[in-house]
Structures are given as C-alpha cells and as structure tokens.
Amino acid sequence: MSRSTPPRPFDVTALFPQLAPLARTATRLHPRAGSPTPHDSSVGGPLLWPAGEPWPYCAGPHEWDQVNDPMSPRDVREQRRIQTAAVNRSRGNPRQVAYTPEEKAVLARIHAGHPWPEGPVAMVPVAQLYRRDIPALVRPGRSDADLLQVLWCPFDHPEHPRTALFWRSAAAVTDVLAAPPEPPAVQLADYVPQPCLLAPEEVTEYPHFLELDKEVRELLADWSRWQAAGDAVDGAYAVAPQEFYVNQLSVSPGWKAGGWSRWGLTDPLPRTCSACGTAMEPLLTIASTEWNHGTGSWAPEGDQARDPLPPGVPPANYTRVVVAGGYALQLHVCPASADHPHLELVQ
C-alpha cells in the first residue's frame, strides 16, 4: 500500500530563501506489519543472507540490568500474537480487551522469564533495504552493492542496542540461509522488530533549527517574518515560531533513509569519521514512533484511522521498536568508505 505525506503547510524557502541550498531528499520508509520475504525491503523481516556466510554475533558484555526479565524472540512473537487476537475480539475497543484462560497461561509462562544468556549472542535483523526501492541509498565508496542489511544486539551497550551494517550485491546471493540463529533471550521485547513491509516515499527536508547558523536561526525566531504566510502558519507558535519550523517543515519523523539528523535530546554533536575525519552522513533512522503529538502533520493521509495497535503499544509504533525510552537511533556513515566505522546517535 502506498502512503503519502500530506503537503507541508507552505514552501518555507519562499519566506526563507537561505534554506533552499540546504534541501535534502529523505526516504520515509512507512513500515507496517506484514509478511516480508528475503527478497523484500523490510523492517524485522528475513534477510537475503548467504548460506555460506557466518551469522553475526555480539560478544558482549551482556549484563543484567536487574529490572527486565529476558524473553526469547519466540516468546515476544507469541505475546504479540495473543495481544493482537485479543484486540481483534474486542474490535479495537481497549475497554473490552480480555484474554482467554489459555492465553493467560501462556502469558504467565512468558513473563516468568528466561536465564540471562552467557557468551556471544546472535544479532537480530532490524532492516533490509534494496536500492531498487530506495534509489538514494548508495554504499559509501559508490560500489555496485544494492542491498543494505542492518542487525543489532538485543541488549543495551550501554544505553541502546549495538548495530552492525552489511552491504552486498543481491544478485550474488544464490543460496539463502534458511534458518538464521536467534538469541536465546533479549533484554527487551522492544528490541525485536515486528516484521514489516515498507512503502518508501521521498520527501524534502531542511536542517534542524539547531544545525542552522546564528543568522538564519534569528530569522526563524522572528514571528513577524512568518506572518507573510498568513493562515498557513499556526498562530499558536507566535511565541516560538522556530518550533513550527522544527515540527512541520524541517526533519520528517519516523523510520527513514538519508535526509537530515534530528536533534533535541542534545545540541548538535560533531559527526566525523574516526578513521579519516570526513564529515559523516545520515544513513538510517530507527524510530520509536512514526509521528507524535508535535509532528502529527507528517502522518500519511488516512493513516490515523488505519492499523489499530494492541494496548500498551504507543500510537504509530508499527514496528514495536522502542529505543532509549522513546527516542530514535540515527546511524551515520562515512561517505569515503563503507569499511570505516559507522556512528550511532540517539536523539
């Protein structure tokens, strides 16, 4: 199913032409629960992984936080199946959601937990992106690789999962690994992505307010300059019009490839390659939600009324991924070489 982001309230470069040269294309992924195959771009789906290539493991450390009882990926999937069945029986009414005695027994077993794993832990598929679906996706160094695979360790290191990136040529994979290993337990169900198909959509982004130079920030904070747009600008932002720019016009929320980095948890941090000093570029944003109260105007048309989620799942969190309590994990790469370390940034 295709999904379309509503047009922005107006062309911000008409009021602030200084932004025009800073425009970037981002590809919103719009993940929604489905049944992807290894030949699909997906979140949490099976990977086109060569049968003869070792599966990646994380050596740790994997220390128990003394709070969360570990669950197996199988338990996570079973719990979600039960939650979805209960919601379907209630026809989406949260006050009528109830579990059968059999379901309660399964949930009780799941919540009893698993032993904390010892030794290396198999990494979990997070995303698989084909360049045919995301034309702007290019391997650093401009090789002929047309497939990006992202995995992570389902334990905090220390405040979010540790990620691994793999670029490959899809045509070179002739024998696909049929049964990849899974970790015996995960720290949080939030670290097991719900299998989702994607509906990629290109949008135009501009830098976050905090990344702009002082002169442009002062212009964006001047309410009188916004009044030329008339009713297209929400008057509730008169006290801080730069927030209108941040929420409605600059960086799109949710899962995306490319574009600009989002800030707010901290001020902008240096993003330079530890191997060569080159400025790094955003590759993939792994988001805890597709939109929230402040960025609701980015919700695809009609999406507010589709795809009900079980109780306890935040609105618009179709992947079931929650990073660092509700933020996003932004992966950056060095444009000079895919062999250089990538950067993980929580914002």
Side-chain angles (χ1 to χ4, degrees):
M1 179 181 293
S2 63
R3 283 178 164 81
S4 298
T5 299
R8 297 301 80 206
F10 62 92
D11 179 6
V12 68
T13 62
L15 287 184
F16 304 98
Q18 300 90 337
L19 295 172
L22 304 177
R24 285 185 183 176
T25 297
T27 303
R28 302 190 70 194
L29 302 182
H30 300 311
R32 298 297 183 272
S35 300
T37 74
H39 304 285
D40 294 314
S41 292
S42 67
V43 164
L47 303 183
L48 189 78
W49 194 269
E53 183 175 323
W55 189 261
Y57 280 73
C58 176
H62 304 113
E63 299 179 359
W64 187 28
D65 58 12
Q66 305 293 320
V67 175
N68 299 287
D69 291 322
M71 302 168 58
S72 71
R74 180 179 178 181
D75 285 347
V76 172
R77 292 190 286 267
E78 184 70 3
Q79 177 175 265
R80 290 174 180 171
R81 185 194 64 77
I82 290 173
Q83 291 175 335
T84 300
V87 168
N88 290 340
R89 286 196 300 269
S90 72
R91 297 184 179 180
N93 186 337
R95 296 185 178 181
Q96 296 181 4
V97 173
Y99 300 111
T100 67
E102 294 78 10
E103 290 170 342
K104 290 180 180 179
V106 174
L107 292 175
R109 176 188 60 77
I110 290 172
H111 294 156
H114 282 258
W116 198 257
E118 297 181 0
V121 170
M123 302 188 87
V124 173
V126 176
Q128 174 168 270
L129 306 178
Y130 284 88
R131 198 163 65 200
R132 65 169 187 261
D133 300 319
I134 306 167
L137 188 70
V138 178
R139 180 182 186 269
R142 303 183 182 278
S143 77
D144 61 352
D146 60 356
L147 177 61
L148 169 65
Q149 296 169 327
V150 181
L151 301 92
W152 67 18
C153 173
F155 292 86
D156 286 330
H157 291 277
E159 64 277 331
H160 60 76
R162 177 184 294 159
T163 56
L165 310 182
F166 296 86
W167 295 87
R168 65 178 80 253
S169 169
V173 183
T174 57
D175 188 9
V176 180
L177 182 63
E182 287 194 325
V186 301
Q187 182 172 351
L188 297 170
D190 299 334
Y191 296 161
V192 181
Q194 180 75 12
C196 290
L197 290 166
L198 309 181
E201 175 199 22
E202 291 188 345
V203 297
T204 300
E205 292 188 345
Y206 300 95
H208 190 280
F209 177 77
L210 295 175
E211 285 212 80
L212 297 169
D213 62 37
K214 181 180 179 181
E215 178 184 357
V216 178
R217 292 200 307 270
E218 290 176 349
L219 292 175
L220 291 171
D222 184 352
W223 175 243
S224 66
R225 293 184 174 273
W226 290 90
Q227 290 177 297
D231 294 339
V233 182
D234 186 345
Y237 286 95
V239 176
Q242 66 271 23
E243 293 301 315
F244 181 80
Y245 170 77
V246 170
N247 291 339
Q248 314 292 344
L249 303 172
S250 59
V251 182
S252 63
W255 289 68
K256 67 172 186 175
W260 283 94
S261 303
R262 178 173 289 275
W263 302 94
L265 182 61
T266 69
D267 287 342
L269 302 170
R271 286 145 292 157
T272 55
C273 177
S274 60
C276 68
T278 301
M280 304 186 84
E281 299 176 350
L283 174 69
L284 176 68
T285 297
I286 300 169
S288 295
T289 183
E290 287 294 281
W291 64 84
N292 57 28
H293 177 71
T295 58
S297 73
W298 291 90
E301 294 173 344
D303 242 21
Q304 297 281 14
R306 290 200 296 251
D307 305 321
L309 293 168
V313 178
N317 184 2
Y318 301 105
T319 66
R320 309 289 189 92
V321 166
V322 178
V323 177
Y327 291 95
L329 180 60
Q330 301 176 112
L331 306 183
H332 294 67
V333 292
C334 174
S337 173
D339 296 327
H340 291 177
H342 66 283
L343 174 69
E344 300 167 337
L345 174 69
V346 171
Q347 288 291 325

